[in-house]
Amino acid sequence: MTGSPVVLLLEPSGIRRVDPREPQLAVTDWGATRGDGIFESVSVIDGRMPPLDARFDRLEASARALDLPLIDRALWTEALLRSIDAHDPVERLAVTLALTRGVEGGDGTPTAWLLARPARDFTDIRRTGVSAVTLDRGYASDAAEGAPWLLLGAKHLSYATNSAALREASRRGADDVIFTSTDGLALEGPTSSLLVRRGDIVESPSADSGILAGTTQSTAFGFFESRGFTARFAPIRADDLADADAVWLVSSVRQAVAVHTLDGRPLPVDGELTAALNDWLANAARSE
C-alpha cells in the first residue's frame, strides 16, 4: 500500500480537504457515539471513475431508512473526483462515503466526509478462495418487512455485529461468514453478497429477505448471463449450500471470492470461472 489517505469534508460551504493525521470528527457526533449514520464503499481501479448510480441509489435508500437527508449526488461525485486526483496513483483505491446525523445538540447539520486510501491486496484470496461458517443472524427472513426499524437492509455505520461475527469465524478457524435466518435461509456475508451456482443457474437471495442490495452482485449477474447462465433472485436454503456447484461472496473492493470450505466441509471451486468473473467486475469498474 502506498500513498497517504485523502480525506475530504463535505460542508454547507463546499468541499474541504483536511489532514488525515489530525482529528476531524467531534466526539459528540452521532456517528461516533451511536453509529447513527450510513456509508458506501466505492472501488476505483487505475484512477478511473466507476459507475455510481447503483451506489448512490443504495446510499439514498439507507438515508431514507435512517431518516437522514438525501445526498447531493453532484457534490459527492465532485468529491470523489477530487480524491482520485489528489491521491497518489495506485492500482486500486478504496473510497468510503460517510454521512452521520451530525453533532448531538447541534443545529441538525449532518456530518459528511469521504476517505480515499489504497485498497488491500486481495489478489491471493481471489485466486485461492476462503473458508466460511454459517452463523445465525437471529432474525427471520421476513423480519425487515414487519420491523423496518431494525435497518436490516441499510448500509449503516453500526458494524459491531458484523465484526463480532468475523471474530467468531476466526475462533472457528474460518475466514468469513454466511449469515442465516432463523427460518433456515442463507442471506449474505458481513461485508458481501452471496452467489450460488447449481448447474446453469446462479442465484442470490433477494433484498426482500432483509439483506443489503448488492451492487457488485448485480454486475455479477450480468457476467453470468453473458455466459449463458440463468441469473435470478431466489430463496436459498442454508442446508442446500453444501450441495452447490459453486458458492461466491462478492463485494466492491474484494470482488468475487469462492468459498472452498463451509462449516468444515469442502465445496467445489471453479477457478477459471472465478477468474473470469473477477476480470468482468474489474472491467465494469473501469467502464467510465
Side-chain angles (χ1 to χ4, degrees), residues 5-252:
V6 172
V7 179
L8 302 176
L9 299 183
L10 283 73
E11 302 172 323
S13 58
I15 301 169
R16 179 166 62 94
R17 184 176 179 181
V18 296
D19 189 340
R21 298 166 298 183
E22 297 293 330
Q24 304 298 338
L25 194 67
V27 296
T28 53
D29 192 280
W30 285 104
T33 60
R34 304 289 177 86
D36 192 358
I38 59 176
F39 77 100
E40 187 59 56
S41 300
V42 178
S43 181
V44 176
I45 300 178
D46 296 330
R48 301 283 295 278
M49 174 73 87
L52 296 175
D53 284 346
R55 284 170 176 78
F56 283 149
D57 288 346
R58 188 167 67 178
L59 195 61
E60 289 180 348
S62 297
R64 284 190 290 269
L66 273 70
D67 295 318
L68 290 169
L70 296 184
I71 63 168
D72 182 333
R73 294 192 179 201
L75 189 64
W76 282 103
T77 300
E78 181 183 351
L80 182 56
L81 284 168
R82 287 194 191 183
S83 73
I84 295 171
D85 291 340
H87 200 282
D88 294 338
V90 294
E91 181 182 354
R92 292 176 183 265
L93 195 63
V95 184
T96 301
L97 318 179
L99 178 75
T100 81
R101 201 169 301 281
V103 177
E104 295 183 51
D107 61 4
T109 300
T111 303
W113 72 90
L114 180 151
L115 168 63
R117 53 189 170 180
R120 287 177 52 194
D121 186 356
F122 292 109
T123 303
D124 289 342
I125 294 176
R126 294 187 195 105
R127 183 175 62 252
T128 63
V130 296
S131 58
V133 293
T134 53
L135 294 180
D136 191 341
R137 191 180 61 173
Y139 301 108
S141 59
D142 61 353
E145 181 179 352
W149 49 86
L150 293 176
L151 305 178
L152 295 179
K155 196 173 178 72
H156 53 80
L157 290 173
S158 181
Y159 252 49
T161 298
N162 290 341
S163 297
L166 290 170
R167 291 194 299 272
E168 178 62 24
S170 180
R171 282 191 285 267
R172 299 186 187 195
D175 305 310
D176 214 323
V177 171
I178 296 175
F179 282 126
T180 62
S181 65
T182 56
D183 48 338
L185 297 185
L187 298 172
E188 60 185 346
T191 61
S192 57
S193 300
L194 174 67
L195 295 176
V196 177
R197 180 175 77 84
R198 294 185 181 86
D200 61 356
I201 297 175
V202 174
E203 295 178 331
S204 186
S206 168
D208 293 340
S209 57
I211 64 175
L212 192 66
T215 56
T216 306
Q217 165 269 316
S218 177
T219 305
F221 268 16
F223 164 78
F224 286 110
E225 289 168 346
S226 76
R227 290 289 186 105
F229 291 89
T230 297
R232 67 189 186 190
F233 293 105
I236 299 172
R237 301 295 303 176
D239 290 344
D240 293 339
L241 292 175
D243 299 321
D245 293 318
V247 175
W248 294 274
L249 294 171
V250 299
S251 56
S252 61

